[in-house]
C-alpha cells in the first residue's frame, strides 16, 4: 500500500513491469495498491480514492478494489 499525494498523481500512475519489479519485495507480492485521501471542504469527511496496479497478474489494473478501499 502506497499513499499518493493527490487524485491527479493517482490518475497518472502507470503499471510498468520493470518499475513494479524494483518496488515489490521478493515475497511473491504481485500488485501495488495506491491510494490518496482528501478532506471534504464543507464537512471535513475523509474521501479515499484508490487503484491497484497488478501487471504480474496479467492485467495492468485490477478494477475490483472498492471494498479494499475501506480497509486503508
Amino acid at each position: 500500500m502506497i499513499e499518493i499525494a493527490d487524485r491527479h498523481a493517482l490518475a497518472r500512475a502507470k503499471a510498468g513491469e520493470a518499475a513494479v519489479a524494483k518496488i515489490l519485495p521478493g515475497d511473491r507480492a504481485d500488485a501495488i495498491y495506491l491510494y490518496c485521501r482528501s478532506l471534504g471542504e464543507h464537512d471535513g469527511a475523509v474521501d479515499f480514492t484508490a487503484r491497484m496496479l497488478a501487471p504480474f497478474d496479467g492485467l495492468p489494473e485490477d478494477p475490483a478494489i472498492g471494498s479494499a478501499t475501506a480497509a486503508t
Side-chain angles (χ1 to χ4, degrees):
M1 294 178 71
I2 301 170
E3 185 171 3
I4 301 297
D6 57 42
R7 287 183 180 187
H8 299 293
L10 184 63
R12 290 190 311 268
K14 298 198 185 315
E17 286 189 30
V20 172
K22 289 180 183 179
I23 295 170
L24 292 178
D27 64 358
R28 298 187 306 207
D30 60 1
I32 297 176
Y33 183 78
L34 307 172
Y35 72 96
C36 67
R37 54 189 163 156
S38 58
L39 296 177
E41 290 182 33
H42 302 291
D43 61 3
V46 177
D47 180 30
F48 286 95
T49 305
R51 296 175 64 197
M52 188 169 86
L53 307 179
F56 301 117
D57 280 344
L59 63 157
E61 185 167 346
D62 182 354
I65 59 166
S67 62
T69 303
T72 313

